[in-house]
Amino acid sequence: MTEHSKINRTDARKVSGNSSLFERANSAFGLDALSPGKKAFALPEVEKRVPRQAQAKLSSAAAPQPAPVPTAQPGSTQLTAPAAPKAPAQPAIPLGGSEQAVDRDIMHSAGLIVPERPVTALLEEFRIVKRELLADARAGGSAKSRQILVSSPHPGEGKTYCALNLAIALAAERDLEVLLVDADVMRPSVARRLGLEDGQGLMDALADQNLDLERLAIKTDIDQLFVLPAGANASNAAEYLTSERTGELLKRLTLNAPNRIVIFDTPPALAASAAAELAAHVGQVLLVARADETSRAALEDARQLLSACADIKLLLNAAQFSPSGRQFGGYGAQEEWT
């Protein structure tokens, strides 16, 4: 309560008559400071009072709101169905129909790598070759990069010999299976050089849609090595190789099979068109040249014919000279340390 003794009663009486309410308040509480010509004193900032209902609305607007959950409206069909789970990848089609044993004596007489026998200089050399091919096959990451075509410009340069040794060296890898395809349908020789019985093969599967290419492959007694014979010789073999069925069958050989390598032994590139046709279906080409026999012009012509494949490698066969003096073989047979 205000003490009545502090009120200027004299001034109050002067303004009590016809004075206005503001005049009387000025006389009692000294409000003349707000009158014109005088500096107003600073008033403390008064917090704005917000009704409780408004405060509740402001609080709910400031707080983060969860995303609205779509609800089905009567008669509405606009809700998105949950995504269906991805179907698991189909397993690779297994290889092998009949089982046959490889004749080691025939292999030895032909100068091939013979499994279970001591390491030779030939095996060491093909180990280097296979490392280059495997590195590119794994770096490529595609099924096509695991299909390798072996050819040469002319007959007699050793392309079948190299294809056989490469397949045997690759089959020695612990995590690989190797399919050697005899695609030299005019002069097939892969089965004979391994001492295997010839039978239905590549050309039969291309001609007959009821035959599965994978089931025609021979499972040999060399671990992880399969051989697909050339099959029946046909005069229109080139037309079969350019058909859509050829692409479908060859693609299926390495589909969903990351540990499978397919090697095609084809006719010489300058002697028959089969090599050029198959080059479009593989990821790597190994072009075999015989030292001191294959001309540079022949290599250039063969390379151009096989250019449907972007990755062409050169393998020099029957070389007797190494610029570095490197020689493989005999190291494991040393009896004394020098």
Side-chain angles (χ1 to χ4, degrees), residues 92-327:
I93 301 174
L95 298 174
S98 63
E99 297 185 15
Q100 297 186 37
V102 173
D103 192 323
R104 267 65 172 179
D105 292 334
I106 293 178
M107 294 176 65
H108 179 70
S109 63
L112 300 174
I113 297 170
V114 181
E116 306 99 21
R117 294 196 179 180
V119 175
T120 62
L122 181 66
L123 175 57
E124 291 290 359
E125 288 170 349
F126 273 96
R127 280 175 173 170
I128 293 177
V129 175
K130 75 174 179 179
R131 287 283 167 251
E132 295 292 329
L133 296 169
L134 283 176
D136 287 347
R138 287 164 177 162
S142 66
K144 197 173 183 180
S145 64
R146 298 191 299 276
Q147 301 201 20
I148 304 167
L149 183 148
V150 181
S151 186
S152 61
H154 298 296
E157 292 171 320
K159 50 95 181 170
T160 302
Y161 174 82
C162 291
L164 284 163
N165 283 316
L166 179 61
I168 296 167
L170 283 166
E173 295 287 314
R174 296 303 180 192
D175 59 346
L176 287 182
E177 65 177 10
V178 180
L179 174 62
L180 176 58
V181 180
D182 192 345
D184 192 348
V185 295
M186 302 300 293
R187 296 175 59 183
S189 63
V190 169
R192 174 175 54 81
R193 295 194 188 196
L194 294 176
L196 302 175
E197 294 181 6
D198 231 334
Q200 288 184 311
L202 176 63
M203 295 310 302
D204 300 286
L206 293 180
D208 187 351
Q209 296 190 1
N210 296 319
L211 290 177
D212 291 330
L213 193 63
E214 297 81 5
R215 302 299 299 170
L216 299 180
I218 300 170
K219 178 177 173 58
T220 73
D221 64 337
I222 298 176
D223 288 342
Q224 306 304 320
L225 177 62
F226 300 82
V227 174
L228 180 67
N233 188 359
S235 58
N236 56 348
E239 284 70 28
Y240 278 122
L241 292 174
T242 58
S243 66
E244 291 184 7
R245 178 166 171 78
T246 299
E248 294 171 0
L249 290 181
L250 300 187
K251 182 180 179 181
R252 202 171 68 183
L253 289 176
T254 49
L255 183 65
N256 299 324
N259 294 328
R260 182 182 297 168
I261 300 290
V262 181
I263 299 173
F264 297 91
D265 176 36
T266 68
L270 301 181
S273 62
E277 302 296 347
L278 289 173
H281 301 289
V282 302
Q284 300 184 67
V285 166
L286 192 63
L287 185 58
V288 178
R290 191 172 182 87
D292 300 326
E293 290 189 17
T294 307
S295 68
R296 183 183 181 89
L299 280 175
E300 288 293 337
D301 291 343
R303 184 193 62 81
Q304 187 170 2
L305 285 172
L306 301 173
S307 60
C309 176
D311 187 358
I312 299 177
K313 299 176 174 67
L314 178 65
L315 178 63
L316 185 61
N317 184 32
Q320 300 296 326
F321 171 73
S322 173
S324 64
R326 182 184 65 193
Q327 235 178 354

Side-chain angles (χ1 to χ4, degrees), residues 33-65:
L34 298 179
S35 62
K38 295 186 178 181
K39 185 178 180 180
F41 57 89
L43 295 175
E45 186 176 355
V46 181
E47 183 180 356
K48 294 183 180 180
R49 300 284 181 177
V50 182
R52 291 182 179 179
Q53 274 188 335
Q55 286 183 359
K57 289 182 180 179
L58 287 173
S59 299
S60 62
Q65 299 295 322

